Amino acid sequence: MLAAYLIKVTLHRIALSTIPELQHKILRLLNLIYHRQIIKKMEEKEKDKSRRKFLLDFSALGLGSLVASSLLTESCNKIGPGPGKKITLLNSKNELVEVDSLYISTLNKNLSPTHNSEGRKGLPGKKFVLVVDLAKCKNARKCMDKCASVHQLRPDQFHLNVLVMKDSEEAAPYFFPKHCQHCDNPPCVKVCPVDATFKRSDGIVLIDNERCIGCRFCIAACPYSARSFNWFEPKDAEKYKDVPYNIELNVPQKKGTVTKCSFSADCLREGKLPYCVSACPNEVYYFGNVYEDTVTNGTTGETVSFSDLIAKNAGYRLMEELGTAPSIYYLPPKDRAKMPEKDDLNI
Amino acid sequence: MAKFKIVVSFLLLAFSFSAFSQSEKWLVTADNAKKNNPLTINPKNMAVGKNVFMRSCKACHGINADGKGRTQSPNLIADEFQKQTDGAIFFKVFTGKNKMPSFKAKLKEEEIWSVVNYLRVLVNPSAVPPAVDIKLEVSADDAAKSITAFVLTADSAKLPLQDVDVHFFIKRYFGLMRIAELINNTGKDGKVTVNIPEKIIGDSLGNITVIAKIENNFLYNDTEVSLTKLWATPLTTGDETFNQRSLWGARDKSPLWLLFMANGIILGVWAVIIFVIYNIFRIKKAGKIFIK
Amino acid sequence: MADLYRKEEQVKKELLRELYTDLTRPLAGYSRSGKIWIGFLLLLIAVGTIMYVRQLKIGLGVTDMRDIASWGLYISDFVFFVAVSLVGSLISAILKLSNINWATPLTRIAEIIAVAALFSALAIIVVDMGRPDRLLNIFVYGRLQSPIVWDIIVVNSYLVISLLLLYLPLIPDIALLRKNMGHKPRWQQRMYKILSVGWQGTEEQFKILNLSITSLMILIVPVALSIHTVTSWLFASTLRPGWDSTLFGPYFVAGAFMVGAAAVVIVMYIVRGQYKYQEYITNYHFDMMGKLLVLTSLIYLYFNINEYLVPAYKMKSAEGEHILGLFVGDYSLMFWFVQLCGMLVPILLMIFKPFRKPKPLMIIAVFIVIGAFFKRYLIVVPTQLHPFLPIQNYPASYHHYSPTFSECSITLGGIAFVALVITLFIKFFPIIPIWETAHEKGISNETINN
């Protein structure tokens, strides 16, 4: 048994470069066959056109692409007579839509709005950067609230945590919104044994909650303590039971897996700013494409040159000496004497 | 005990302080309240006021200044607010308090006064005439990398319009990047020319889309024109570096030295193990010969 | 002349019979205390299993591990078990290859400890996984850049080698059992028959066997060193203060040799007392094991001084906080217990001969093993509670980690499993090699075969 595994692993290594492509091709082929079968069945049953259109829309979204062969026959068999119960689904626009279970009976558990392999690639011609102006942060925590709600986090889980920093005994304190740094030399991605957490070409470090084995090595490896684990059944697990997993939004959360800041990759795909950035009332966040050398302020909507902003305000990265090469820049917290009152410091 | 006292007094202090800050009125000295607004309410000033409001105030106070922004903030069109003097409002914007930041360093004094005027107009819309349509045209000078906006009346007369505020932007992934100033008024000929800054990065070919806009103007309705020019530095990506084999790469991008070393060790160790297992069968075979 | 030879042969046969009777005594059956012991171990394992099933249902939240200390007792158990398993290579390979023969009666004890500890190590690492149902992902999506994958490959290879190194020298003994265990249940006889692989003791069979054992002994040394080195890299490959050390590989290996040798002393003492093996496991063996323990402990002491003194001298910000936590902070009691009772005092005592007598040495060994267990805990846990950035906005409990009943009972279950494997092995196979002992007493192969 053990030997067989090891041989298998070795074989994997040898055929490494070819296998993913092959897998992808097979999946695409299966996908094609699958859709044809569905459409054929539908026509046989002469269902009304609007419903059919809906299903086609779904396939156009690439929803069907993850289907494995065993699932194929199963799902086809399951199309029975009469309408079933309504099921809630998340569509590509992140809207919850209600659909008759008859048409999506087995699809919904295995397919995600953004195709997994698509979500792993990253947006072409982009590399995202976040600039945090520490001088402006007043601990309003609108970013944290928004983040926790869209990512369905428990109150003790953080993708984004606003810290009160005090660099030394005499130094004045300042607020410090801490995200995942989306490092270019990510210690967490290095140690992942199963490629569950990975780095995209647009700089974003994501995690696939459907592959994560829960070893928590990435949590141990992260010097910024940016990752969180689902120690229990996630918040509202029952409510989102039938919602397909979205790798870019990192929801629904899954018990026993690691969860982390995704730079709101789902928003970026649509050209929108991340949730936290557009929730800030204090002009703290600038977000943009570093290849374009521009960043946009989430509060004012002003778009400015990234390199100018960094140059004029002495932007720096967190713990540069670790060599992790973060994608987040901080503008120093000048005027930090103007901290809000003590009661606002909910430490 | 002494320690306990300190803790208690500290808590009391913190509590009273917080209670105080909640209910406390924002007092403005008579001097400041009496200050007069140096600006008259005219379309030019109003445009400045609206532009500044949209940039710096909207996030918290809401697009209608009704306090329904991203954070809890005072309603600026309520009577309670509006009954203050111009000077008092100016003072509050200038100095800031608690959640309200100070705009002393961020805005010019005239800009703050313009915002005050804008707030006055918001509750008194009949003070300004209804906006009309106008025509906006743009032309580009490839040699100078400059763009000229031409503002005309929308009617058949096509008269050039003076002192119309035109905004210029370059299109970026998350929004429009302003070029030139916040306010660029047209001249007597109805034209205003701005230069494209250097070091602008376009698409992979070097194309940029420049947009001229009329917005936040009280006399004219919003309108915009855009044109695409091959004026910028082409965008270069780091994909080549990204796709190299690395320790943080995906499983099909593990470094070659690692592949060779690990597989070499695995093969070496398991060759011996398989040899030993084979030997167990050899022992068995040798035993059978003995029986015969 | 022929008469003399025959007489001598007769004496040797007698000696062999005596040897065989002695060394197969544990196989005779279960005493009352033996039954109670096995029942007790099964109970511990059952409690551990029940708690694990509960953990599967509720989630890893039944432990006290949280986002700050996300590795806890399970990982320190794993490191502990891997450390203990290293002794197999020390006694049965390193000493043998250096022609040190006094350890011959101890080789099987060392090997079975190694195998049993490895089983527990593999089990506990699955227990620590958030999604054990996705275990196969490691083989389907395995990523060679991850130290975890290295560890899985190396630990499994070591397990196979250890099993083989336990089994191969056992073949001639199993052949003896097969001949003489006619009164045992059928399945047990069948097992002996299959496992003895038709051993007849021919010269060729001995040649193949010796070649195989020698190649395994050579192979196991680098593999053993690498299992613990790679395990140390799980920590050393991160940037965390307290783990970010280049010393970790040899530091872990040295510690492993120490705790493994101590574990062997404990099992030796119990086996000797239980089955009256004073003749085979003599005071001399304890004396030598004591000296070996002093040697391994001294090496470990040297690494400890390096590991703690150098950062304590510099007091780099985050590292300094961690070091202070160990020296005078939350973990100081445990830290100084481990350093003093688990290392320094034992070394000082064992230098004197009276303390290398069986009983005192066993007591010292118990302290070393307990110390080593806590030492693993001190390596895994405190580092995580001192991250680079402040721990804020979390519930107060996140600032500390203390194992829950679930974790403790599963740990006890793991330890009980090690003890159970060793106990059952003793009940089915001779724990002291008959064949090798006979050889040392000058009994020839022919005599053994007939």
Side-chain angles (χ1 to χ4, degrees), chain A residues 305-325:
Chain A
S305 159
F306 163 72
S307 47
D308 278 359
L309 184 71
I310 293 303
K312 281 182 189 149
N313 297 285
Y316 69 94
R317 297 192 290 189
L318 188 55
M319 289 184 251
E320 189 72 67
E321 69 276 12
L322 296 181
T324 50

Side-chain angles (χ1 to χ4, degrees), chain A residues 6 12 126 138 142 184 189 195 199-201 268 272 278 280-281 291-292 294 298-300 302-303 341 343, chain B residues 17-18 55 59-60 70-71 98 172-177 201 236-238 242 247-248 250-251 263 270:
Chain A
L6 280 160
H12 254 291
K126 301 199 170 52
K138 299 179 154 233
K142 298 287 167 197
D184 284 348
V189 174
D195 252 354
K199 189 168 177 67
R200 310 202 307 186
S201 64
L268 306 182
K272 287 191 209 146
S278 46
C280 176
Y291 291 155
E292 266 185 0
T294 44
T299 311
T300 62
E302 271 183 307
T303 302
E341 288 78 33
D343 60 307
Chain B
F17 191 41
S18 69
R55 188 185 64 190
C60 293
R70 289 179 185 177
T71 185
N98 295 343
R172 307 273 82 178
Y173 190 61
F174 289 108
L176 302 176
M177 177 162 75
I201 296 165
T236 47
T237 68
F242 177 82
L247 282 173
W248 50 263
R251 56 198 282 266
N263 287 324
W270 280 83

Side-chain angles (χ1 to χ4, degrees), chain C residues 15-321:
Chain C
L15 192 68
L16 179 69
R17 187 166 303 127
E18 206 179 296
L19 202 68
Y20 176 83
T21 330
D22 269 0
L23 294 183
T24 55
R25 202 181 304 129
L27 280 68
Y30 301 92
S31 64
R32 227 186 99 196
S33 60
K35 279 180 189 162
I36 293 171
W37 170 242
I38 289 175
F40 172 65
L41 292 179
L42 284 174
L43 181 75
L44 285 181
I45 295 169
V47 173
T49 314
I50 291 167
M51 293 320 284
Y52 180 55
V53 172
R54 182 169 164 267
Q55 177 185 312
L56 281 180
K57 228 170 148 188
I58 300 173
L60 269 173
V62 299
T63 68
D64 197 43
M65 295 187 280
R66 289 297 180 264
D67 287 351
I68 302 301
S70 67
W71 279 352
L73 192 59
Y74 294 151
I75 294 287
S76 53
D77 289 346
F78 171 73
V79 181
F80 175 74
F81 287 133
V82 170
V84 170
S85 79
L86 217 63
V87 73
S89 70
L90 172 69
I91 306 273
S92 60
I94 297 177
L95 293 187
K96 266 265 174 83
L97 288 173
S98 346
N99 279 330
I100 295 168
N101 289 323
W102 59 262
T104 309
L106 311 178
T107 50
R108 207 161 279 166
I109 292 179
E111 275 307 328
I112 189 63
I113 290 176
V115 169
L118 275 176
F119 280 135
S120 262
L122 287 172
I124 206 87
I125 207 73
V126 175
V127 168
D128 187 63
M129 281 170 65
R131 296 299 293 242
D133 53 318
R134 295 182 185 165
L135 185 63
L136 284 183
N137 277 6
I138 296 171
F139 304 102
V140 181
Y141 302 112
R143 196 172 156 275
L144 212 49
Q145 292 100 313
S146 170
I148 285 197
V149 171
W150 309 343
D151 216 21
I152 290 163
I153 295 170
V154 173
V155 169
N156 283 318
S157 301
Y158 184 66
L159 176 64
V160 173
I161 298 170
S162 292
L163 275 171
L164 284 171
L165 205 48
L166 175 69
Y167 170 61
L168 287 179
L170 202 58
I171 293 178
D173 286 2
I174 296 174
L176 276 178
L177 292 177
R178 185 188 155 201
K179 277 184 216 157
N180 299 296
M181 285 287 163
H183 58 282
K184 287 283 176 190
R186 287 251 331 243
W187 66 268
Q188 200 174 337
Q189 288 187 41
R190 265 185 85 97
M191 181 179 80
Y192 290 142
K193 190 177 171 210
I194 294 167
L195 288 179
S196 65
V197 286
W199 179 264
Q200 303 288 343
T202 66
E203 210 162 298
E204 198 194 343
Q205 281 183 324
F206 265 115
K207 221 175 99 188
I208 302 170
L209 187 70
N210 283 331
L211 174 69
S212 308
I213 293 176
T214 313
S215 13
L216 280 181
M217 284 196 307
I218 295 168
L219 180 67
I220 202 171
V221 177
V223 176
L225 291 185
S226 60
I227 61 161
H228 221 41
T229 308
V230 171
T231 303
S232 81
W233 288 349
L234 295 186
F235 308 101
S237 62
T238 68
L239 299 161
R240 289 294 189 91
W243 287 349
D244 185 6
S245 158
T246 51
L247 192 63
F248 257 37
Y251 172 53
F252 271 45
V253 170
F257 280 146
M258 181 178 86
V259 57
V264 168
V265 170
I266 297 171
V267 177
M268 264 166 77
Y269 181 83
I270 296 169
V271 167
R272 171 179 138 128
Q274 197 67 26
Y275 303 110
K276 314 254 172 317
Y277 279 169
Q278 279 82 352
E279 199 183 321
Y280 303 97
I281 305 174
T282 60
N283 283 3
Y284 173 72
H285 286 113
F286 278 93
D287 192 60
M288 292 308 281
M289 280 308 288
K291 285 178 179 163
L292 188 66
L293 254 178
V294 172
L295 175 71
T296 54
S297 305
L298 279 174
I299 298 172
Y300 195 45
L301 174 69
Y302 168 67
F303 279 117
N304 266 281
I305 291 170
N306 274 286
E307 180 60 22
Y308 293 114
L309 191 72
V310 175
Y313 187 87
K314 292 181 286 196
M315 286 310 255
K316 250 162 87 179
S317 50
E319 191 109 26
E321 216 176 291

